[in-house]
Amino acid sequence: MFDLILTVDYELFGDGSGCIDACVIAPTDEILAIANTHSAPVSFFVDASEFAAIRDLAPTLGIAAVEAQISAAADNGHRIELHLHPQWHGAIRRDDGWKLDYDKWRIGDLSEAEIADVASVGLDYLHSLAPSSDEHCNVFRAGGWAIQPSTATLKVLRDQGILMESTVAHGAYNPAGGDWYDFRRTPKQPFWTIENDVCEAAVGHAGNLIEVPICTAKVSRSDHARALREHRQHASMPEGCAGSYDGPNNRWQTIHGKLTKLARLGHVMLDFSTMPGWLLIEITKDYMQRFSSSGTRVPIVAIAHNKNFTRQSADNTRRWLEWASEQPELQFSDYLNWYRAVTNTDSDSKAMS
Ligand SMILES: [Zn+2]
């Protein structure tokens, strides 16, 4: 059996640009409407650092709409999970926009004390929106995939009672200095126990988190090129949404990162905000085939970003989910549902950790 887990990194752009209505609320409503037609739960990785800062420093930007949307989603069977972009920690609001700390872009670069601080502010914020603590905030995903080196972050997550980690995307690699990640070498399994290094299967289970990686596949160069071509024919952001991908890299690092990504053309995540329907189906099928004999419930984690979820993404997602709903081996699920099934726990899942 396969558990298809729909995840959305719920956030504005990394430099604070983008407006809440057009980049967050409207595309998320669209995602929810599509998922709800299949009774598919959505796991929202809510950037708690960012929205806690907006609540404190610039609530008139639309924080009430964000909080209403998240709380309603949580009430309606969707999940709220922890996502952190630490550059927002200690943000300053000026007349001309946000002043964020790009030295803190990568959570993997922070000290354990800093990570603990960022995580507890974030968790307090999310628990205020979704009070049923057993049902939410059981999974973590690092902002910008920048979790490595992961020892300190994993220790903090364990201390905070987080059960699962979902940042790793096998094959993904970004060498740019300011926002690097490297998932070229990971266990070739659909999930594994982790202790210090997210890319290494730990021995034993007691007290450790489970890594539930984002589904990736190696697609042919021609398929990848065709998907990119189709994607470029349409808008890359939702209607009325504009933002920038400025971040911690200098110009050379950005160019180097882009060239390397190009060289790795062919490695893709199961991303329902940027991929055509036919490729979403192909990758899901491929993943199911790869792990068909694993003898356990296999999680298939798909990813999307609200700020890239366009009308085109909606058409593609509809087509893919319609296909998925017809596959007898595949069920719509979420992390906790899957976790309880594979660890044979029910409502008392926290007792495992
Ligand atoms: Zn993010």
Side-chain angles (χ1 to χ4, degrees):
M1 200 67 192
F2 296 88
D3 286 41
L4 182 57
I5 302 176
L6 306 178
T7 75
V8 174
D9 289 7
Y10 184 91
E11 60 196 16
L12 286 168
F13 292 84
D15 65 348
S17 61
C19 82
I20 282 181
D21 265 353
C23 301
V24 180
I25 303 298
T28 300
D29 276 343
E30 183 79 34
I31 292 169
L32 282 167
I34 297 167
N36 286 340
T37 59
H38 297 288
S39 304
V42 180
S43 299
F44 288 100
F45 283 95
V46 176
D47 178 8
S49 307
E50 157 184 350
F51 292 115
I54 295 174
R55 173 199 59 188
D56 293 345
L57 302 173
T60 55
L61 291 181
I63 195 68
V66 164
E67 295 180 349
Q69 187 170 51
I70 289 303
S71 296
D75 284 346
N76 290 318
H78 303 287
R79 304 278 193 200
I80 310 310
E81 308 294 0
L82 180 65
H83 190 49
L84 297 170
H85 279 273
Q87 71 265 27
W88 283 89
H89 201 67
I92 297 167
R93 180 69 187 170
R94 292 185 178 150
D95 290 343
D96 61 345
W98 292 101
K99 168 107 178 58
L100 306 182
D101 186 352
Y102 291 152
D103 289 342
K104 294 196 164 67
W105 187 275
R106 303 186 69 267
I107 198 167
D109 289 340
L110 305 188
S111 71
E112 190 185 316
E114 285 175 310
I115 298 167
D117 192 22
V118 172
S120 68
V121 169
L123 282 167
D124 283 351
Y125 180 65
L126 295 185
H127 285 316
S128 75
L129 301 182
S132 172
S133 56
D134 276 0
E135 300 296 310
H136 302 282
C137 301
N138 290 299
V139 195
F140 174 73
R141 177 176 294 155
W145 297 280
I147 195 171
Q148 295 154 301
S150 53
T151 303
T153 301
L154 292 181
K155 179 173 186 309
V156 169
L157 295 177
R158 269 195 305 272
D159 291 349
Q160 296 278 5
I162 304 282
L163 303 174
M164 287 162 275
E165 207 296 312
S166 195
T167 303
V168 172
H170 175 73
Y173 173 48
N174 171 12
D179 62 356
W180 71 270
Y181 51 82
D182 186 353
F183 304 127
R184 288 174 296 175
R185 281 174 206 86
T186 75
K188 298 211 171 16
Q189 299 160 20
F191 59 92
W192 55 90
T193 306
I194 47 173
E195 192 173 3
N196 294 313
D197 181 350
V198 287
C199 290
E200 204 176 284
V203 182
H205 289 255
N208 282 332
L209 280 83
I210 297 179
E211 177 64 40
V212 190
I214 298 163
C215 169
T216 60
K218 194 162 166 23
V219 299
S220 73
R221 280 172 174 266
S222 61
D223 277 357
H224 195 185
R226 182 182 152 203
L228 288 174
R229 248 192 337 268
E230 285 180 28
H231 180 60
R232 286 191 193 119
Q233 284 165 4
H234 303 275
S236 63
M237 293 175 198
E239 221 174 303
C241 169
S244 95
Y245 283 96
D246 284 352
N249 291 316
N250 61 35
R251 202 173 134 70
W252 159 245
Q253 288 171 323
T254 304
I255 293 168
H256 181 51
K258 276 188 182 146
L259 286 176
T260 307
K261 276 179 197 161
L262 211 64
R264 295 186 60 74
L265 200 74
H267 281 269
V268 293
M269 295 185 204
L270 182 61
D271 181 340
F272 57 99
S273 45
T274 60
M275 272 184 187
W278 60 266
L279 189 53
L280 291 168
I281 294 170
E282 193 180 299
I283 293 170
T284 311
K285 267 187 194 165
D286 176 81
Y287 207 73
M288 289 168 71
Q289 225 156 37
R290 213 183 317 162
F291 296 115
S292 61
S293 57
S294 69
T296 181
R297 292 243 312 244
V298 171
I300 305 178
V301 174
I303 186 171
H305 285 80
N306 52 273
K307 62 187 189 246
N308 298 127
F309 200 84
T310 62
R311 207 173 290 165
Q312 180 71 6
S313 321
D315 289 344
N316 289 322
T317 302
R318 264 187 223 105
R319 187 170 153 202
W320 170 55
L321 294 189
E322 257 154 45
W323 169 85
S325 69
E326 289 161 2
Q327 308 309 307
E329 295 272 88
L330 199 60
Q331 61 181 351
F332 297 118
S333 187
D334 59 50
Y335 293 96
L336 193 57
N337 188 17
W338 170 81
Y339 181 92
R340 286 169 175 164
V342 293
T343 57
N344 293 315
T345 51
D346 41 39
S347 58
D348 199 26
S349 62
K350 290 266 185 190
M352 285 293 294
S353 59

